[in-house]
Amino acid sequence: MIPLFKERRRKLTLFKAMRPKPEKLPNRIPEGLYTRCPDCKQDFVTDQIAAGFYVCPGCGYHMKLTAQGRLKLVIDKGSLRELNAGLVTLECLDFPGYSEKLSNLQSSTGLKDAVVTGFCTIEGHSAVIAVMDSRFMMGSMGSVVGEKISRAFEYATKKRLPVIIFSASGGARMQEGIISLIQMAKTSNALARHHQAGLLYISCLTNPTTGGVTASFASLGDIIIAEPRALIGFAGPRVIEQTIHQTLPQGFQRSEFLLEHGFIDQIVERPRLRSTLATLLRLHSVTAQKKGGG
Amino acid sequence: MALQEAEDRIRQLDIELSRATDTATQRELQQEKSQLLAQAYGSISSFDRVYLARKTTRPGVRDYIGRIFTDFFEMHGDRLMQDDPAVIGGIAALDGMPVTVIGHCKGKTLDENIKCNFGMPNPEGYRKALRLMKQAEKFRRPIITFIDTPGAYPGLESEMHGQGEAIARNLMEMGSLTVPIITIVIGEGGSGGALALSVADRIWMLENAVYSILSPEGFASILWKDSSRAREAAELMKLTAYDLYARGIVDRLFGEPAGGVDSNSRSIYERMKNALLNELSILGRQNGRALVEQRYKKYRRIGDCTSK
Ligand SMILES: [Zn+2]
């Protein structure tokens, strides 16, 4: 019991440290200045929420992070060397409205597609990182996401580096049809080669990770960690409800549910995300293996 | 007129024909029928093919296994949890050559379909399939998979038991198997649930089979919040065998008689058996490593549509 209390107190202290001072809210909230927690519905000053990496100061809910925000949280400052940054889709563009949708999102998010991949360091440890961004068409996987993830694994295999992927995805990119489906096989095959080369892959599941991403690389990590209360599953909750004609139980398909059913290794809150990844990278580094006589 | 409506009308005409007594009426009805047939099967839309692919009268995996192979020995269970009747698998002989055969199992009647969950597997089905594929690799047997599923089952238990993980693992493992794999889409190829049995050296398709990211109904409801626009969605989705052949994803098509393979299925078994024998003799000449390398390149190639 005592270690449990200690752990809980440590977490509370961490959250407290990140919590902004309570402030009296004005009657009329200017747009953008305040952010409402989607879970507890309380309003907080946006700047302070941002400074706390979008963890709700009230209830600890982990709000969505942009790819840029995620990288800032996790990797060493200035260490990112982006890979295949300019990759865009060439075909599949005959789908009505798809092309415009892409270019609108490209200018509003500053991203070319729903994933950023690159080389980085985390507390000095080298890794290949991929971060998905759910603002970009729900983080759906089309040819660009699939290609960048596959190339990231291929690059890491060649350079003998670990891979860390932050998933945030609604699943397949409908507009790209069957090509989107093929990405699941393609990424899983690239991952297999990295795996067979004896290299480390850490899969980090964030809210939401569903569909084709869950049914491919996101579920195949040597180590799988998840953020608290993230929706993780293959089928979406609405599809399941329509199929079984039942309301889903509370907490169904959330991180805690997956932990209980044996599909993730640990739930890691944002305050200790970076240090957790650094520790895992250190424990899998060449020098650590040599000490073990391997 | 859509194919389904045309077929309903043809059935009605057949009844009227059997009742007609005077030759003039008979001739008239006969004429209308042949016009309708020519019209219906002369210009088949994508959605018509979805309709044909889903017909319960279409040969299912058990028909193909029974007519192409001998000595089929079915194997059950994933050795972890339970047996999933939505996936059938076992060993059989193809003209004397031992092979592993796996496929999605749809029923022909409602009772059968309830038993096999309309061909929608749970994680246990995918894990059974993987167990049999690993076994095939151990004994150096080629693997033949038959695809016919609306998709993986979206249920409470399937999520609890890791539907996503089960599909993902099959994709990863199939890519690394050192024996030949041939996949044949015989009916509905629905989404990840179909893909999880079809990472293969060769992907073949029947003329009226379909293979897509999602059902046209699901696609329409996501895109337009209106599942009744499925017909429109089907045209956009490029899900027919011809679309996929043109895109280089499917390697070979098997033609079907007008009205679908079920209207005269005899020749398909013979053609398929010959094709399998031919292709397996080609694939069988390569060593396991070369097979894996080529399969890897195949998926890199067909999945690539990005700027260099
Ligand atoms: Zn909150």
Side-chain angles (χ1 to χ4, degrees):
Chain A
M1 281 310 274
I2 289 164
L4 263 177
F5 277 125
K6 268 192 181 160
E7 173 65 12
R8 173 134 182 84
R9 204 161 77 197
R10 199 181 59 78
K11 275 185 203 165
L12 277 175
T13 327
L14 274 169
F15 279 131
K16 266 186 195 148
M18 298 167 77
R19 180 183 297 180
K21 300 269 172 297
E23 231 178 272
K24 200 142 175 8
L25 297 181
N27 288 336
R28 290 184 65 215
I29 302 170
E31 209 173 320
L33 264 181
Y34 289 84
T35 298
R36 175 160 295 183
C37 167
D39 207 39
C40 69
K41 314 286 182 212
Q42 293 183 77
D43 292 308
F44 298 95
V45 177
T46 300
D47 285 352
Q48 283 166 326
I49 287 216
F53 290 106
Y54 292 89
V55 177
C56 171
C59 72
Y61 184 78
H62 285 47
M63 299 176 206
K64 286 177 185 170
L65 274 186
T66 63
Q68 295 93 335
R70 174 70 63 186
L71 286 165
K72 203 172 149 202
L73 169 67
V74 167
I75 70 172
D76 296 342
K77 203 178 169 193
S79 73
L80 184 74
R81 278 210 328 264
E82 212 180 327
L83 295 166
N84 304 300
L87 212 65
V88 289
T89 173
L90 280 184
E91 296 176 52
C92 326
L93 288 175
D94 45 352
F95 194 92
Y98 182 40
S99 184
E100 295 97 77
K101 196 161 192 176
L102 284 177
S103 56
N104 287 344
L105 279 165
Q106 282 163 354
S107 51
S108 71
T109 61
L111 304 168
K112 283 271 189 282
D113 210 294
V115 73
V116 175
T117 58
F119 168 89
C120 73
T121 62
I122 297 172
E123 293 186 4
H125 300 284
S126 302
V128 169
I129 193 165
V131 182
M132 302 186 78
D133 193 318
S134 62
R135 288 174 305 165
F136 206 102
M137 298 185 79
M138 307 252 294
S140 55
M141 175 158 66
S143 52
V144 174
V145 171
E147 187 66 23
K148 282 173 92 166
I149 297 275
S150 302
R151 289 192 195 179
F153 274 115
E154 286 172 343
Y155 178 83
T157 309
K158 208 167 91 191
K159 303 278 181 188
R160 300 205 56 80
L161 288 168
V163 172
I164 299 171
I165 299 182
F166 281 91
S167 295
S169 175
R173 177 84 47 97
M174 294 302 146
Q175 289 83 350
E176 294 193 20
I178 197 86
I179 294 295
S180 174
L181 194 69
I182 300 291
Q183 306 309 316
M184 292 166 62
K186 192 173 94 175
T187 52
S188 302
N189 289 351
L191 188 166
R193 295 193 156 192
H194 185 257
H195 173 73
Q196 283 151 10
L199 299 165
L200 172 70
Y201 164 40
I202 305 174
S203 174
C204 306
L205 311 178
T206 75
N207 189 37
T209 299
T210 59
V213 167
T214 300
S216 60
F217 58 84
S219 295
L220 297 171
D222 295 300
I223 296 169
I224 304 180
I225 63 181
E227 291 201 323
R229 285 183 256 174
L231 176 75
I232 303 160
F234 174 64
R238 236 184 321 148
V239 176
I240 300 172
E241 282 187 337
Q242 280 163 9
T243 308
I244 63 171
H245 307 292
Q246 283 176 46
T247 319
L248 297 175
Q250 187 76 29
F252 184 68
Q253 291 183 313
R254 297 285 160 179
S255 310
E256 296 73 14
F257 175 92
L258 270 92
L259 183 69
E260 188 189 330
H261 286 90
F263 288 97
I264 57 177
D265 291 297
Q266 212 177 100
I267 294 171
V268 179
E269 301 82 4
R270 272 178 208 161
R272 62 184 188 97
L273 190 54
R274 179 181 154 87
S275 61
T276 302
L277 290 174
T279 304
L280 290 173
L281 291 176
R282 177 167 50 76
L283 290 173
H284 288 83
S285 68
V286 183
T287 42
Q289 275 164 13
K290 273 194 185 133
K291 272 184 195 156
Chain B
M1 196 186 298
L3 187 58
Q4 189 172 1
E5 293 159 34
E7 286 195 345
D8 287 345
R9 177 74 190 130
I10 288 164
R11 261 192 297 277
Q12 204 183 324
L13 283 172
D14 279 333
I15 296 168
E16 284 173 35
L17 259 170
S18 67
R19 286 180 188 155
T21 43
D22 64 299
T23 44
T25 321
Q26 278 177 347
R27 203 177 310 131
E28 213 173 286
L29 287 169
Q30 198 65 50
Q31 206 179 346
E32 191 186 340
K33 186 184 164 182
S34 47
Q35 258 175 14
L36 211 52
L37 278 171
Q39 204 184 5
Y41 299 126
S43 64
I44 289 189
S45 72
S46 296
F47 197 69
D48 290 337
R49 295 202 199 272
V50 173
Y51 158 73
L52 288 172
R54 288 174 179 170
K55 266 181 153 182
T56 49
T57 47
R58 225 176 143 77
V61 59
R62 285 187 192 276
D63 299 302
Y64 289 99
I65 292 176
R67 299 294 292 273
I68 295 175
F69 308 91
T70 55
D71 305 314
F72 179 58
F73 177 82
E74 185 175 355
M75 290 190 264
H76 292 278
D78 63 352
R79 300 293 189 267
L80 296 163
M81 184 78 198
Q82 59 195 16
D83 187 46
D84 182 357
V87 174
I88 168 176
I91 16 171
L94 175 68
D95 211 16
M97 180 205 315
V99 294
T100 287
V101 190
I102 300 166
H104 299 97
C105 196
K106 274 189 184 175
K108 297 210 191 290
T109 63
L110 185 61
D111 272 357
E112 280 178 22
N113 259 324
I114 287 168
K115 269 187 206 127
C116 65
N117 202 25
F118 296 84
M120 293 184 282
N122 279 286
E124 294 76 28
Y126 295 116
R127 293 183 183 130
K128 166 164 76 178
L130 183 58
R131 178 172 78 83
L132 299 188
M133 290 191 276
K134 289 283 202 183
Q135 189 189 67
E137 186 178 45
K138 174 180 175 186
F139 296 106
R140 311 304 307 158
R141 289 193 289 262
I143 299 164
I144 298 152
T145 67
F146 292 93
I147 305 303
D148 193 11
T149 179
Y153 186 62
L156 273 180
E157 291 199 333
S158 55
E159 289 293 319
M160 230 178 264
H161 300 160
Q163 188 74 287
E165 190 273 346
I167 294 172
R169 190 148 312 273
N170 277 22
L171 301 181
M172 176 166 127
E173 297 283 356
M174 282 186 89
S176 311
L177 289 171
T178 54
V179 291
I181 310 171
I182 296 178
T183 284
I184 312 169
V185 188
I186 55 174
E188 244 184 319
S191 187
L195 187 70
L197 295 185
S198 57
V199 181
D201 301 303
R202 299 286 183 270
I203 305 171
W204 297 348
M205 234 172 137
L206 264 66
E207 187 182 359
N208 293 318
V210 293
Y211 196 173
S212 61
I213 186 81
L214 186 70
S215 71
E217 291 83 1
F219 194 87
S221 81
I222 285 183
L223 222 60
W224 305 305
K225 315 257 176 274
D226 181 4
S227 63
S228 68
R229 289 171 73 181
R231 169 176 302 278
E232 211 178 316
E235 301 307 320
L236 272 179
M237 288 172 77
K238 301 205 169 82
L239 44 63
T240 70
Y242 288 102
D243 293 330
L244 296 166
Y245 184 75
R247 186 66 190 74
I249 288 166
V250 164
D251 305 295
R252 181 184 187 132
L253 301 185
F254 289 93
E256 296 185 31
V261 63
D262 39 325
S263 64
N264 182 5
S265 58
R266 221 171 312 143
S267 85
I268 188 78
Y269 304 116
E270 195 59 33
R271 282 183 287 146
M272 203 175 274
K273 183 177 176 177
N274 288 333
L276 283 170
L277 284 167
N278 270 332
E279 204 62 44
L280 286 177
S281 80
I282 296 166
L283 291 171
R285 276 180 230 131
Q286 300 174 53
N287 69 35
R289 255 178 124 165
L291 279 172
V292 171
E293 182 63 28
Q294 280 164 32
R295 202 179 303 137
Y296 187 81
K297 285 190 175 137
K298 176 189 176 79
Y299 281 82
R300 286 305 264 119
R301 186 183 72 243
I302 63 179
D304 189 15
C305 71
T306 54
S307 63
K308 288 291 156 277

